[in-house]
Amino acid sequence: DAGVTQSPTHLIKTRGQHVTLRCSPISGHKSVSWYQQVLGQGPQFIFQYYEKEERGRGNFPDRFSARQFPNYSSELNVNALLLGDSALYLCASSLPPNLYSNTGELFFGEGSRLTVL
Amino acid sequence: AQKVTQAQTEISVVEKEDVTLDCVYETRDTTYYLFWYKQPPSGELVFLIRRNSFDEQNEISGRYSWNFQKSTSSFNFTITASQVVDSAVYFCALSEARQAGTALIFGKGTTLSVSS
């Protein structure tokens, strides 16, 4: 079975541009989360979507937005890029949260490495 | 506030040595989950273990073992007889079960280098 797939794997943008990153979850997974990992740091939570609705949002500016499609794939959009947005953007999918726990095992993709010049 | 601290930035060992990666966490919740992930150079985070706050039993999986101690808010990870393939960045993470969504709070990671 295919794991979490992300595209593009690498991209270079200039300040002020816009970027769209894409993620396809593992088949059967309905929840997708996005994380930003700056070099030398741990991943930071950006968004979680479940059944096309936003379920959680981290401490990121409104320049960051996301959506989930009926097939459970997801896009992360970043507007007005800054140098500080250069990072590895990781997508993770999981089975839906259950009644007793919101926390299940997350399966991560290999990420999209964004460089902003 | 939630926080995960991995005080060891880098560790270097020689093959077959045992190595322990430390993780200390902070949370106000009584119900929470702790995780360890491995990140090889490819970038993908590989799940190693999840532990809930009510289960303090230590766990062993092959060469890997985990020591969870609520009294010291620690969740340490030991690799026995390390191998070159264990070289990676290891992250400890925390999630509070009451929060909507599955947001994980990660530590800054410990880079483990195992030489032959």
mmCIF file with all atom_site columns, all heavy atoms in Angstrom, chain B residues 26-45:
data_model
loop_
_atom_site.group_PDB
_atom_site.id
_atom_site.type_symbol
_atom_site.label_atom_id
_atom_site.label_alt_id
_atom_site.label_comp_id
_atom_site.label_asym_id
_atom_site.label_entity_id
_atom_site.label_seq_id
_atom_site.pdbx_PDB_ins_code
_atom_site.Cartn_x
_atom_site.Cartn_y
_atom_site.Cartn_z
_atom_site.occupancy
_atom_site.B_iso_or_equiv
_atom_site.pdbx_formal_charge
_atom_site.auth_seq_id
_atom_site.auth_comp_id
_atom_site.auth_asym_id
_atom_site.auth_atom_id
_atom_site.pdbx_PDB_model_num
ATOM 1   N N   . GLU B 1 26 ? 6.268  18.644 29.750 1.00 0.00 ? 26 GLU B N   1
ATOM 2   C CA  . GLU B 1 26 ? 5.452  19.445 30.655 1.00 0.00 ? 26 GLU B CA  1
ATOM 3   C C   . GLU B 1 26 ? 4.037  19.485 30.115 1.00 0.00 ? 26 GLU B C   1
ATOM 4   O O   . GLU B 1 26 ? 3.817  19.777 28.939 1.00 0.00 ? 26 GLU B O   1
ATOM 5   C CB  . GLU B 1 26 ? 5.977  20.891 30.746 1.00 0.00 ? 26 GLU B CB  1
ATOM 6   C CG  . GLU B 1 26 ? 7.334  21.044 31.400 1.00 0.00 ? 26 GLU B CG  1
ATOM 7   C CD  . GLU B 1 26 ? 7.808  22.482 31.358 1.00 0.00 ? 26 GLU B CD  1
ATOM 8   O OE1 . GLU B 1 26 ? 6.946  23.394 31.403 1.00 0.00 ? 26 GLU B OE1 1
ATOM 9   O OE2 . GLU B 1 26 ? 9.031  22.703 31.262 1.00 0.00 ? 26 GLU B OE2 1
ATOM 10  N N   . THR B 1 27 ? 3.082  19.226 30.963 1.00 0.00 ? 27 THR B N   1
ATOM 11  C CA  . THR B 1 27 ? 1.673  19.343 30.603 1.00 0.00 ? 27 THR B CA  1
ATOM 12  C C   . THR B 1 27 ? 0.853  19.482 31.868 1.00 0.00 ? 27 THR B C   1
ATOM 13  O O   . THR B 1 27 ? 1.234  18.951 32.907 1.00 0.00 ? 27 THR B O   1
ATOM 14  C CB  . THR B 1 27 ? 1.197  18.130 29.786 1.00 0.00 ? 27 THR B CB  1
ATOM 15  O OG1 . THR B 1 27 ? -0.194 18.275 29.505 1.00 0.00 ? 27 THR B OG1 1
ATOM 16  C CG2 . THR B 1 27 ? 1.418  16.823 30.533 1.00 0.00 ? 27 THR B CG2 1
ATOM 17  N N   . ARG B 1 28 ? -0.264 20.179 31.772 1.00 0.00 ? 28 ARG B N   1
ATOM 18  C CA  . ARG B 1 28 ? -1.157 20.312 32.921 1.00 0.00 ? 28 ARG B CA  1
ATOM 19  C C   . ARG B 1 28 ? -2.215 19.223 32.926 1.00 0.00 ? 28 ARG B C   1
ATOM 20  O O   . ARG B 1 28 ? -2.922 19.031 33.912 1.00 0.00 ? 28 ARG B O   1
ATOM 21  C CB  . ARG B 1 28 ? -1.854 21.673 32.892 1.00 0.00 ? 28 ARG B CB  1
ATOM 22  C CG  . ARG B 1 28 ? -0.943 22.853 33.060 1.00 0.00 ? 28 ARG B CG  1
ATOM 23  C CD  . ARG B 1 28 ? -1.726 24.144 33.039 1.00 0.00 ? 28 ARG B CD  1
ATOM 24  N NE  . ARG B 1 28 ? -0.858 25.289 32.879 1.00 0.00 ? 28 ARG B NE  1
ATOM 25  C CZ  . ARG B 1 28 ? -1.283 26.515 32.614 1.00 0.00 ? 28 ARG B CZ  1
ATOM 26  N NH1 . ARG B 1 28 ? -2.563 26.739 32.474 1.00 0.00 ? 28 ARG B NH1 1
ATOM 27  N NH2 . ARG B 1 28 ? -0.429 27.504 32.496 1.00 0.00 ? 28 ARG B NH2 1
ATOM 28  N N   . ASP B 1 29 ? -2.324 18.520 31.829 1.00 0.00 ? 29 ASP B N   1
ATOM 29  C CA  . ASP B 1 29 ? -3.371 17.512 31.719 1.00 0.00 ? 29 ASP B CA  1
ATOM 30  C C   . ASP B 1 29 ? -3.005 16.228 32.438 1.00 0.00 ? 29 ASP B C   1
ATOM 31  O O   . ASP B 1 29 ? -1.823 15.895 32.578 1.00 0.00 ? 29 ASP B O   1
ATOM 32  C CB  . ASP B 1 29 ? -3.633 17.199 30.253 1.00 0.00 ? 29 ASP B CB  1
ATOM 33  C CG  . ASP B 1 29 ? -4.863 17.908 29.750 1.00 0.00 ? 29 ASP B CG  1
ATOM 34  O OD1 . ASP B 1 29 ? -5.303 18.864 30.407 1.00 0.00 ? 29 ASP B OD1 1
ATOM 35  O OD2 . ASP B 1 29 ? -5.389 17.506 28.708 1.00 0.00 ? 29 ASP B OD2 1
ATOM 36  N N   . THR B 1 30 ? -4.018 15.509 32.838 1.00 0.00 ? 30 THR B N   1
ATOM 37  C CA  . THR B 1 30 ? -3.790 14.191 33.432 1.00 0.00 ? 30 THR B CA  1
ATOM 38  C C   . THR B 1 30 ? -3.854 13.105 32.379 1.00 0.00 ? 30 THR B C   1
ATOM 39  O O   . THR B 1 30 ? -3.370 12.005 32.580 1.00 0.00 ? 30 THR B O   1
ATOM 40  C CB  . THR B 1 30 ? -4.838 13.904 34.530 1.00 0.00 ? 30 THR B CB  1
ATOM 41  O OG1 . THR B 1 30 ? -6.147 14.035 33.962 1.00 0.00 ? 30 THR B OG1 1
ATOM 42  C CG2 . THR B 1 30 ? -4.679 14.869 35.693 1.00 0.00 ? 30 THR B CG2 1
ATOM 43  N N   . THR B 1 31 ? -4.484 13.424 31.254 1.00 0.00 ? 31 THR B N   1
ATOM 44  C CA  . THR B 1 31 ? -4.571 12.474 30.147 1.00 0.00 ? 31 THR B CA  1
ATOM 45  C C   . THR B 1 31 ? -3.791 13.016 28.964 1.00 0.00 ? 31 THR B C   1
ATOM 46  O O   . THR B 1 31 ? -4.112 14.089 28.452 1.00 0.00 ? 31 THR B O   1
ATOM 47  C CB  . THR B 1 31 ? -6.036 12.244 29.739 1.00 0.00 ? 31 THR B CB  1
ATOM 48  O OG1 . THR B 1 31 ? -6.781 11.779 30.855 1.00 0.00 ? 31 THR B OG1 1
ATOM 49  C CG2 . THR B 1 31 ? -6.100 11.208 28.613 1.00 0.00 ? 31 THR B CG2 1
ATOM 50  N N   . TYR B 1 32 ? -2.791 12.309 28.561 1.00 0.00 ? 32 TYR B N   1
ATOM 51  C CA  . TYR B 1 32 ? -1.963 12.770 27.455 1.00 0.00 ? 32 TYR B CA  1
ATOM 52  C C   . TYR B 1 32 ? -1.269 11.561 26.838 1.00 0.00 ? 32 TYR B C   1
ATOM 53  O O   . TYR B 1 32 ? -1.302 10.446 27.377 1.00 0.00 ? 32 TYR B O   1
ATOM 54  C CB  . TYR B 1 32 ? -0.933 13.810 27.914 1.00 0.00 ? 32 TYR B CB  1
ATOM 55  C CG  . TYR B 1 32 ? -0.089 13.394 29.107 1.00 0.00 ? 32 TYR B CG  1
ATOM 56  C CD1 . TYR B 1 32 ? 1.097  12.691 28.935 1.00 0.00 ? 32 TYR B CD1 1
ATOM 57  C CD2 . TYR B 1 32 ? -0.503 13.700 30.406 1.00 0.00 ? 32 TYR B CD2 1
ATOM 58  C CE1 . TYR B 1 32 ? 1.859  12.304 30.025 1.00 0.00 ? 32 TYR B CE1 1
ATOM 59  C CE2 . TYR B 1 32 ? 0.248  13.315 31.502 1.00 0.00 ? 32 TYR B CE2 1
ATOM 60  C CZ  . TYR B 1 32 ? 1.422  12.628 31.310 1.00 0.00 ? 32 TYR B CZ  1
ATOM 61  O OH  . TYR B 1 32 ? 2.170  12.234 32.395 1.00 0.00 ? 32 TYR B OH  1
ATOM 62  N N   . TYR B 1 33 ? -0.668 11.800 25.661 1.00 0.00 ? 33 TYR B N   1
ATOM 63  C CA  . TYR B 1 33 ? 0.046  10.754 24.947 1.00 0.00 ? 33 TYR B CA  1
ATOM 64  C C   . TYR B 1 33 ? 1.473  11.206 24.666 1.00 0.00 ? 33 TYR B C   1
ATOM 65  O O   . TYR B 1 33 ? 1.723  12.373 24.390 1.00 0.00 ? 33 TYR B O   1
ATOM 66  C CB  . TYR B 1 33 ? -0.655 10.433 23.628 1.00 0.00 ? 33 TYR B CB  1
ATOM 67  C CG  . TYR B 1 33 ? -1.962 9.716  23.810 1.00 0.00 ? 33 TYR B CG  1
ATOM 68  C CD1 . TYR B 1 33 ? -3.117 10.411 24.161 1.00 0.00 ? 33 TYR B CD1 1
ATOM 69  C CD2 . TYR B 1 33 ? -2.050 8.335  23.648 1.00 0.00 ? 33 TYR B CD2 1
ATOM 70  C CE1 . TYR B 1 33 ? -4.314 9.750  24.340 1.00 0.00 ? 33 TYR B CE1 1
ATOM 71  C CE2 . TYR B 1 33 ? -3.243 7.667  23.823 1.00 0.00 ? 33 TYR B CE2 1
ATOM 72  C CZ  . TYR B 1 33 ? -4.374 8.379  24.170 1.00 0.00 ? 33 TYR B CZ  1
ATOM 73  O OH  . TYR B 1 33 ? -5.551 7.719  24.351 1.00 0.00 ? 33 TYR B OH  1
ATOM 74  N N   . LEU B 1 34 ? 2.366  10.275 24.720 1.00 0.00 ? 34 LEU B N   1
ATOM 75  C CA  . LEU B 1 34 ? 3.775  10.529 24.421 1.00 0.00 ? 34 LEU B CA  1
ATOM 76  C C   . LEU B 1 34 ? 4.204  9.647  23.260 1.00 0.00 ? 34 LEU B C   1
ATOM 77  O O   . LEU B 1 34 ? 3.760  8.506  23.138 1.00 0.00 ? 34 LEU B O   1
ATOM 78  C CB  . LEU B 1 34 ? 4.645  10.234 25.646 1.00 0.00 ? 34 LEU B CB  1
ATOM 79  C CG  . LEU B 1 34 ? 4.404  11.139 26.852 1.00 0.00 ? 34 LEU B CG  1
ATOM 80  C CD1 . LEU B 1 34 ? 5.024  10.549 28.097 1.00 0.00 ? 34 LEU B CD1 1
ATOM 81  C CD2 . LEU B 1 34 ? 4.960  12.530 26.580 1.00 0.00 ? 34 LEU B CD2 1
ATOM 82  N N   . PHE B 1 35 ? 5.058  10.192 22.432 1.00 0.00 ? 35 PHE B N   1
ATOM 83  C CA  . PHE B 1 35 ? 5.491  9.491  21.228 1.00 0.00 ? 35 PHE B CA  1
ATOM 84  C C   . PHE B 1 35 ? 7.006  9.616  21.063 1.00 0.00 ? 35 PHE B C   1
ATOM 85  O O   . PHE B 1 35 ? 7.622  10.563 21.544 1.00 0.00 ? 35 PHE B O   1
ATOM 86  C CB  . PHE B 1 35 ? 4.866  10.127 19.975 1.00 0.00 ? 35 PHE B CB  1
ATOM 87  C CG  . PHE B 1 35 ? 3.367  10.121 19.925 1.00 0.00 ? 35 PHE B CG  1
ATOM 88  C CD1 . PHE B 1 35 ? 2.625  11.023 20.669 1.00 0.00 ? 35 PHE B CD1 1
ATOM 89  C CD2 . PHE B 1 35 ? 2.704  9.232  19.105 1.00 0.00 ? 35 PHE B CD2 1
ATOM 90  C CE1 . PHE B 1 35 ? 1.240  11.038 20.615 1.00 0.00 ? 35 PHE B CE1 1
ATOM 91  C CE2 . PHE B 1 35 ? 1.317  9.230  19.035 1.00 0.00 ? 35 PHE B CE2 1
ATOM 92  C CZ  . PHE B 1 35 ? 0.593  10.131 19.790 1.00 0.00 ? 35 PHE B CZ  1
ATOM 93  N N   . TRP B 1 36 ? 7.563  8.646  20.329 1.00 0.00 ? 36 TRP B N   1
ATOM 94  C CA  . TRP B 1 36 ? 8.907  8.787  19.780 1.00 0.00 ? 36 TRP B CA  1
ATOM 95  C C   . TRP B 1 36 ? 8.817  8.534  18.287 1.00 0.00 ? 36 TRP B C   1
ATOM 96  O O   . TRP B 1 36 ? 8.147  7.591  17.842 1.00 0.00 ? 36 TRP B O   1
ATOM 97  C CB  . TRP B 1 36 ? 9.887  7.794  20.419 1.00 0.00 ? 36 TRP B CB  1
ATOM 98  C CG  . TRP B 1 36 ? 10.476 8.261  21.706 1.00 0.00 ? 36 TRP B CG  1
ATOM 99  C CD1 . TRP B 1 36 ? 10.037 7.992  22.970 1.00 0.00 ? 36 TRP B CD1 1
ATOM 100 C CD2 . TRP B 1 36 ? 11.625 9.100  21.848 1.00 0.00 ? 36 TRP B CD2 1
ATOM 101 N NE1 . TRP B 1 36 ? 10.842 8.615  23.882 1.00 0.00 ? 36 TRP B NE1 1
ATOM 102 C CE2 . TRP B 1 36 ? 11.828 9.291  23.230 1.00 0.00 ? 36 TRP B CE2 1
ATOM 103 C CE3 . TRP B 1 36 ? 12.519 9.688  20.951 1.00 0.00 ? 36 TRP B CE3 1
ATOM 104 C CZ2 . TRP B 1 36 ? 12.888 10.062 23.743 1.00 0.00 ? 36 TRP B CZ2 1
ATOM 105 C CZ3 . TRP B 1 36 ? 13.557 10.449 21.449 1.00 0.00 ? 36 TRP B CZ3 1
ATOM 106 C CH2 . TRP B 1 36 ? 13.741 10.625 22.833 1.00 0.00 ? 36 TRP B CH2 1
ATOM 107 N N   . TYR B 1 37 ? 9.492  9.423  17.535 1.00 0.00 ? 37 TYR B N   1
ATOM 108 C CA  . TYR B 1 37 ? 9.598  9.279  16.096 1.00 0.00 ? 37 TYR B CA  1
ATOM 109 C C   . TYR B 1 37 ? 11.064 9.306  15.700 1.00 0.00 ? 37 TYR B C   1
ATOM 110 O O   . TYR B 1 37 ? 11.877 9.983  16.328 1.00 0.00 ? 37 TYR B O   1
ATOM 111 C CB  . TYR B 1 37 ? 8.874  10.427 15.368 1.00 0.00 ? 37 TYR B CB  1
ATOM 112 C CG  . TYR B 1 37 ? 7.385  10.259 15.239 1.00 0.00 ? 37 TYR B CG  1
ATOM 113 C CD1 . TYR B 1 37 ? 6.526  10.673 16.253 1.00 0.00 ? 37 TYR B CD1 1
ATOM 114 C CD2 . TYR B 1 37 ? 6.832  9.697  14.096 1.00 0.00 ? 37 TYR B CD2 1
ATOM 115 C CE1 . TYR B 1 37 ? 5.156  10.514 16.127 1.00 0.00 ? 37 TYR B CE1 1
ATOM 116 C CE2 . TYR B 1 37 ? 5.460  9.541  13.955 1.00 0.00 ? 37 TYR B CE2 1
ATOM 117 C CZ  . TYR B 1 37 ? 4.634  9.947  14.980 1.00 0.00 ? 37 TYR B CZ  1
ATOM 118 O OH  . TYR B 1 37 ? 3.269  9.796  14.848 1.00 0.00 ? 37 TYR B OH  1
ATOM 119 N N   . LYS B 1 38 ? 11.372 8.606  14.611 1.00 0.00 ? 38 LYS B N   1
ATOM 120 C CA  . LYS B 1 38 ? 12.728 8.587  14.049 1.00 0.00 ? 38 LYS B CA  1
ATOM 121 C C   . LYS B 1 38 ? 12.674 9.287  12.693 1.00 0.00 ? 38 LYS B C   1
ATOM 122 O O   . LYS B 1 38 ? 11.756 9.044  11.903 1.00 0.00 ? 38 LYS B O   1
ATOM 123 C CB  . LYS B 1 38 ? 13.187 7.140  13.866 1.00 0.00 ? 38 LYS B CB  1
ATOM 124 C CG  . LYS B 1 38 ? 14.503 6.959  13.142 1.00 0.00 ? 38 LYS B CG  1
ATOM 125 C CD  . LYS B 1 38 ? 14.821 5.469  12.980 1.00 0.00 ? 38 LYS B CD  1
ATOM 126 C CE  . LYS B 1 38 ? 16.131 5.255  12.232 1.00 0.00 ? 38 LYS B CE  1
ATOM 127 N NZ  . LYS B 1 38 ? 16.444 3.810  12.083 1.00 0.00 ? 38 LYS B NZ  1
ATOM 128 N N   . GLN B 1 39 ? 13.639 10.163 12.423 1.00 0.00 ? 39 GLN B N   1
ATOM 129 C CA  . GLN B 1 39 ? 13.693 10.852 11.136 1.00 0.00 ? 39 GLN B CA  1
ATOM 130 C C   . GLN B 1 39 ? 15.030 10.572 10.462 1.00 0.00 ? 39 GLN B C   1
ATOM 131 O O   . GLN B 1 39 ? 16.043 11.178 10.776 1.00 0.00 ? 39 GLN B O   1
ATOM 132 C CB  . GLN B 1 39 ? 13.495 12.365 11.299 1.00 0.00 ? 39 GLN B CB  1
ATOM 133 C CG  . GLN B 1 39 ? 13.345 13.101 9.971  1.00 0.00 ? 39 GLN B CG  1
ATOM 134 C CD  . GLN B 1 39 ? 13.016 14.568 10.143 1.00 0.00 ? 39 GLN B CD  1
ATOM 135 O OE1 . GLN B 1 39 ? 13.575 15.234 11.014 1.00 0.00 ? 39 GLN B OE1 1
ATOM 136 N NE2 . GLN B 1 39 ? 12.101 15.077 9.330  1.00 0.00 ? 39 GLN B NE2 1
ATOM 137 N N   . PRO B 1 40 ? 15.034 9.649  9.506  1.00 0.00 ? 40 PRO B N   1
ATOM 138 C CA  . PRO B 1 40 ? 16.258 9.386  8.749  1.00 0.00 ? 40 PRO B CA  1
ATOM 139 C C   . PRO B 1 40 ? 16.508 10.527 7.767  1.00 0.00 ? 40 PRO B C   1
ATOM 140 O O   . PRO B 1 40 ? 15.665 11.417 7.631  1.00 0.00 ? 40 PRO B O   1
ATOM 141 C CB  . PRO B 1 40 ? 15.944 8.073  8.021  1.00 0.00 ? 40 PRO B CB  1
ATOM 142 C CG  . PRO B 1 40 ? 14.450 8.039  7.940  1.00 0.00 ? 40 PRO B CG  1
ATOM 143 C CD  . PRO B 1 40 ? 13.934 8.786  9.129  1.00 0.00 ? 40 PRO B CD  1
ATOM 144 N N   . PRO B 1 41 ? 17.644 10.519 7.078  1.00 0.00 ? 41 PRO B N   1
ATOM 145 C CA  . PRO B 1 41 ? 17.963 11.604 6.140  1.00 0.00 ? 41 PRO B CA  1
ATOM 146 C C   . PRO B 1 41 ? 16.898 11.839 5.060  1.00 0.00 ? 41 PRO B C   1
ATOM 147 O O   . PRO B 1 41 ? 16.794 12.950 4.546  1.00 0.00 ? 41 PRO B O   1
ATOM 148 C CB  . PRO B 1 41 ? 19.286 11.149 5.527  1.00 0.00 ? 41 PRO B CB  1
ATOM 149 C CG  . PRO B 1 41 ? 19.906 10.306 6.588  1.00 0.00 ? 41 PRO B CG  1
ATOM 150 C CD  . PRO B 1 41 ? 18.771 9.589  7.247  1.00 0.00 ? 41 PRO B CD  1
ATOM 151 N N   . SER B 1 42 ? 16.107 10.837 4.746  1.00 0.00 ? 42 SER B N   1
ATOM 152 C CA  . SER B 1 42 ? 15.065 11.012 3.726  1.00 0.00 ? 42 SER B CA  1
ATOM 153 C C   . SER B 1 42 ? 14.010 12.024 4.165  1.00 0.00 ? 42 SER B C   1
ATOM 154 O O   . SER B 1 42 ? 13.276 12.562 3.340  1.00 0.00 ? 42 SER B O   1
ATOM 155 C CB  . SER B 1 42 ? 14.391 9.671  3.422  1.00 0.00 ? 42 SER B CB  1
ATOM 156 O OG  . SER B 1 42 ? 13.762 9.160  4.595  1.00 0.00 ? 42 SER B OG  1
ATOM 157 N N   . GLY B 1 43 ? 13.897 12.276 5.455  1.00 0.00 ? 43 GLY B N   1
ATOM 158 C CA  . GLY B 1 43 ? 12.975 13.303 5.938  1.00 0.00 ? 43 GLY B CA  1
ATOM 159 C C   . GLY B 1 43 ? 11.684 12.778 6.528  1.00 0.00 ? 43 GLY B C   1
ATOM 160 O O   . GLY B 1 43 ? 11.033 13.472 7.298  1.00 0.00 ? 43 GLY B O   1
ATOM 161 N N   . GLU B 1 44 ? 11.302 11.579 6.161  1.00 0.00 ? 44 GLU B N   1
ATOM 162 C CA  . GLU B 1 44 ? 10.045 11.022 6.648  1.00 0.00 ? 44 GLU B CA  1
ATOM 163 C C   . GLU B 1 44 ? 10.142 10.679 8.128  1.00 0.00 ? 44 GLU B C   1
ATOM 164 O O   . GLU B 1 44 ? 11.109 10.080 8.573  1.00 0.00 ? 44 GLU B O   1
ATOM 165 C CB  . GLU B 1 44 ? 9.738  9.760  5.838  1.00 0.00 ? 44 GLU B CB  1
ATOM 166 C CG  . GLU B 1 44 ? 8.504  9.002  6.212  1.00 0.00 ? 44 GLU B CG  1
ATOM 167 C CD  . GLU B 1 44 ? 8.365  7.748  5.377  1.00 0.00 ? 44 GLU B CD  1
ATOM 168 O OE1 . GLU B 1 44 ? 9.209  7.530  4.485  1.00 0.00 ? 44 GLU B OE1 1
ATOM 169 O OE2 . GLU B 1 44 ? 7.428  6.981  5.625  1.00 0.00 ? 44 GLU B OE2 1
ATOM 170 N N   . LEU B 1 45 ? 9.153  11.054 8.899  1.00 0.00 ? 45 LEU B N   1
ATOM 171 C CA  . LEU B 1 45 ? 9.121  10.710 10.321 1.00 0.00 ? 45 LEU B CA  1
ATOM 172 C C   . LEU B 1 45 ? 8.528  9.320  10.481 1.00 0.00 ? 45 LEU B C   1
ATOM 173 O O   . LEU B 1 45 ? 7.424  9.055  10.022 1.00 0.00 ? 45 LEU B O   1
ATOM 174 C CB  . LEU B 1 45 ? 8.280  11.723 11.089 1.00 0.00 ? 45 LEU B CB  1
ATOM 175 C CG  . LEU B 1 45 ? 8.954  13.064 11.367 1.00 0.00 ? 45 LEU B CG  1
ATOM 176 C CD1 . LEU B 1 45 ? 7.926  14.110 11.741 1.00 0.00 ? 45 LEU B CD1 1
ATOM 177 C CD2 . LEU B 1 45 ? 9.978  12.931 12.476 1.00 0.00 ? 45 LEU B CD2 1
#
